[in-house]
Amino acid sequence: MKRPRAIDRAYIFEYDVGQWAFGTIQVLQCRETGALKSCKTVPKSILGRSSAHMFPNLKKLEQLQHPHVSTINTLEDEHCLYIISEFTEGGDVQDWMERLEEAQCQLQEKTCATYVRQLILGLTHCHALGIYHRDLRPGNLTLTSKLPDAQVKVSDFGLAPVLDPDNAILHRLTPSRYTAPEIRTSSSPITSGAPDMWSVGAIAHRLLVGRAPSEVKGAPTLLERMTGSRSEDPWLERSSAAKDFVQCLLPTDPNQRLSAVNALQHPWLKSHAPVSLWRRDNKSMQDIQFKTLCYMLSVLMIPVLVPHRDWEQLRVAFRRSDHDGDGFVLSHDAMRVIRQRCFLKEAVAAALAIADVGKTDVLDLCTTSVADLIAREFFAAGPTAAPLAGPFTASDLAPRMIKKFFETFGKQQKVVTLAGISSKLRTATARDVEQYCGVQYSVILDGLPEDCNLDEKILQAHLGKHAGRGTPLGVGHSEIVEAPPWLMPFGASIISLFQGCQIGAAHRSSSPHSLTIC
């Protein structure tokens, strides 16, 4: 079969994959780099109207750059549009779930929360740019590898609204179980992220209980199929926080659903998908620990180092940038707010990167205040008021902040007391930080010994053990879980499960996504 010249100049055909809503899918190899790519071919004949305006809109989508969004490149010829995207070795979440169900295994709740959190991080970025997906489903969530630290990347972002703006093609197809109710019945263009958030809720529902919310009520869940018994409550094995999260995304009224920004703040994601994201490499874990330490030290020093009128100006500027009044701003808005107070752009950018411990690109007032303090007090000027040259990293900043903390609370001494810290926190700034930032200084200090001097070792141990507690960074007394198992089999490991079924000796590869049966 003759290949299109638009493709053949840059790519070598590898194999056909199958169909998608707008055409066919192939895997190609880049002639220049040898890297595999996914190619989605869209015949112009199915688009129903002139496609001349579509190609420029598709080219705009090439500008999307985010760790959890697949990048695309678009080509066209007389007959077709070609959408070239990343080829991910880990497959997609749909394939992974089907393999687990065949093995009568389900994802651990922390894994579900991590997948969902990474999905929402991608949505937050795109929604802020006015770009919506409209066709989210588990098959759109690709995995970067088959290794335990595989990241989720959302594919096809923005394609459906461009190729099918009035939902005409979607209405001719069997509706996806993950498509929002208003999309199934309306021909109006997408103007908000609410339909995507319904899809997130439906995906989370499937990950957690084994079926989408729109599936037949009487269909057995994964747990019921595995145990052979029926339960009236499919959420029996899941946390109440997980159920509440899903319920907050599935109201029929789009205005009642959580936005992507607010979904990131839900207790289920903050407690079950902590900022560690289960990174196994020591470098990533150490970076998170240093950032968290810098965040907590900043929260403690703001009431002493930032005059009340100064902090009030920051609060007012933040409120003006919070256009929808939800208590959060995007990182570039926070950058603009702090740049009005600190002119060294590199210092502000580095401070924001440290303060945003979870890499959400969405900041509340507390995180913005932390970044403001770090930028102005530690990065903007050195001892002679000359701009610092760096390095602007959390590991380099932490020792300087600890030194400053003891200078501030210990009067140049290397030890402080709990009473001394508490007395210095009785400021107007501290009062307003607690009122407007969700900070509880008594909770942060709870557990520190009252009858002895506190040195650097005791302070770091306390802040590390209760990372984020008493601030928006933490939820209750949840702890960061390091490298939990990726699967939650019922009564046995996945290997013993196969052995118990007399299938043969099972050998697990280094990847949790791979299982070889001998």
Side-chain angles (χ1 to χ4, degrees):
M1 177 179 177
K2 187 176 180 180
R3 299 294 168 187
R5 292 183 61 186
I7 293 293
D8 193 54
R9 284 193 293 267
Y11 300 96
I12 302 171
F13 173 80
E14 290 289 324
Y15 56 88
D16 288 309
V17 175
Q19 301 279 329
W20 74 305
F22 302 102
T24 58
I25 308 174
Q26 301 82 32
V27 172
L28 311 176
Q29 183 183 59
C30 178
R31 291 184 182 276
E32 181 178 353
T33 66
L36 293 180
K37 299 287 183 177
S38 173
C39 175
K40 293 185 174 176
T41 301
V42 184
K44 293 182 178 180
S45 58
I46 75 165
L47 298 179
R49 57 178 178 169
S50 173
S51 61
H53 69 288
M54 291 186 180
F55 190 69
N57 289 334
L58 290 174
K59 296 299 286 186
K60 290 180 181 178
L61 296 179
E62 294 182 5
Q63 300 173 18
L64 281 178
Q65 298 289 330
H66 189 272
H68 298 297
V69 177
S70 292
T71 57
I72 67 168
N73 180 36
T74 51
L75 302 171
E76 72 170 337
D77 59 21
E78 181 181 354
H79 304 289
C80 295
L81 299 171
Y82 305 97
I83 302 165
I84 313 297
S85 61
E86 303 170 66
F87 178 85
T88 53
E89 297 181 356
D92 58 54
V93 172
Q94 176 68 34
D95 293 337
W96 182 218
M97 287 192 302
E98 290 175 355
R99 293 175 64 187
L100 289 179
E101 290 176 5
E102 291 176 2
Q104 292 196 334
C105 223
Q106 74 174 7
L107 287 173
Q108 193 178 46
E109 190 166 318
K110 288 182 173 62
T111 306
C112 298
T114 296
Y115 283 170
V116 172
R117 182 179 185 273
Q118 293 176 1
L119 162 60
I120 297 176
L121 287 174
L123 290 181
T124 301
H125 176 77
C126 295
H127 287 182
L129 299 174
I131 300 173
Y132 309 107
H133 197 291
R134 203 205 66 179
D135 192 32
L136 279 172
R137 59 185 75 194
N140 294 132
L141 310 185
T142 61
L143 297 168
T144 55
S145 74
K146 296 182 179 181
L147 298 175
D149 61 350
Q151 300 285 293
V152 167
K153 303 197 81 166
V154 185
S155 64
D156 302 344
F157 223 112
L159 296 184
V162 172
L163 300 175
D164 186 27
D166 57 2
N167 304 332
I169 296 176
L170 180 144
H171 291 161
R172 294 200 298 265
L173 303 173
T174 302
S176 164
R177 294 170 293 180
Y178 307 96
T179 301
E182 62 269 27
I183 298 297
R184 302 179 192 180
T185 58
S186 173
S187 59
S188 301
I190 304 302
T191 58
S192 79
D196 285 349
M197 296 314 296
W198 195 95
S199 299
V200 172
I203 291 170
H205 194 288
R206 172 70 190 281
L207 288 169
L208 289 161
V209 302
R211 67 184 182 207
S214 58
E215 290 188 81
V216 180
K217 296 292 184 180
T221 65
L222 174 60
L223 174 61
E224 291 169 345
R225 294 196 298 270
M226 293 165 62
T227 60
S229 61
R230 298 301 297 270
S231 170
E232 295 183 0
D233 185 5
W235 293 91
L236 192 61
E237 298 295 320
R238 298 303 192 183
S239 69
S240 58
K243 184 177 181 180
D244 180 75
F245 174 82
V246 171
Q247 289 176 336
C248 288
L249 295 177
L250 294 180
T252 304
D253 182 357
N255 295 320
Q256 298 300 315
R257 299 171 198 155
L258 292 178
S259 67
V261 169
N262 284 299
L264 284 175
Q265 311 307 317
H266 192 278
W268 182 59
L269 292 186
K270 296 188 76 172
S271 60
H272 283 78
V275 294
S276 67
L277 297 183
W278 308 341
R279 294 297 184 94
R280 292 177 181 269
D281 56 294
N282 291 332
K283 184 177 180 181
S284 296
M285 286 300 300
Q286 289 175 358
D287 183 56
I288 290 167
Q289 290 166 357
F290 279 123
K291 286 182 176 181
T292 303
L293 178 61
C294 292
Y295 178 101
M296 296 300 293
L297 289 169
S298 297
V299 171
L300 288 169
M301 287 191 286
I302 286 171
V304 184
L305 297 180
V306 182
H308 179 254
R309 179 176 294 182
D310 188 7
W311 189 83
E312 178 64 14
Q313 291 173 348
L314 176 67
R315 185 184 73 83
V316 171
F318 178 92
R319 185 181 62 189
R320 289 172 179 167
S321 296
D322 181 13
H323 303 297
D324 57 5
D326 66 354
F328 301 93
V329 299
L330 297 172
S331 57
H332 62 79
D333 291 321
M335 165 78 81
R336 185 172 59 252
V337 168
I338 302 175
R339 282 292 307 279
Q340 295 173 2
R341 302 154 57 83
C342 175
F343 299 111
L344 188 58
K345 183 178 180 180
E346 294 80 3
V348 178
L352 286 168
I354 292 172
D356 185 15
V357 179
K359 297 182 179 180
T360 64
D361 291 329
V362 176
L363 282 71
D364 56 17
L365 179 56
C366 186
T367 306
T368 304
S369 300
V370 167
D372 176 74
L373 177 76
I374 292 174
R376 296 199 298 157
E377 187 72 28
F378 295 94
F379 286 166
T384 60
L388 291 179
F392 297 137
T393 64
S395 60
D396 293 295
L397 174 62
R400 295 172 54 207
M401 293 195 75
I402 292 171
K403 180 181 178 182
K404 184 68 174 180
F405 178 88
F406 283 97
E407 290 175 353
T408 302
F409 289 95
K411 299 179 180 179
Q412 306 296 327
Q413 301 297 316
K414 293 185 178 181
V415 294
V416 296
T417 64
L418 179 59
I421 296 174
S422 299
S423 65
K424 282 186 172 290
L425 290 176
R426 298 190 186 108
T427 67
T429 302
R431 178 198 64 207
D432 282 4
V433 168
E434 289 197 319
Q435 179 178 351
Y436 295 108
C437 291
V439 171
Q440 296 176 282
Y441 284 108
S442 61
V443 175
I444 296 176
L445 300 179
D446 183 38
L448 282 172
E450 300 181 10
D451 54 352
C452 68
N453 291 330
L454 309 176
D455 59 14
E456 177 182 332
K457 183 177 180 181
I458 295 175
L459 179 68
Q460 288 194 64
H462 174 76
L463 295 179
K465 180 180 179 181
H466 305 293
R469 192 175 69 172
T471 74
L473 188 63
V475 177
H477 298 271
S478 62
E479 297 180 357
I480 292 178
V481 179
E482 188 173 352
W486 276 63
L487 305 175
M488 187 173 66
F490 291 86
S493 69
I494 191 169
I495 294 177
S496 62
L497 174 68
F498 277 84
Q499 291 174 333
C501 294
Q502 302 298 316
I503 296 179
H507 297 282
R508 183 77 177 274
S509 75
S510 60
S511 163
H513 299 268
S514 302
L515 185 69
T516 304
I517 306 297
C518 299

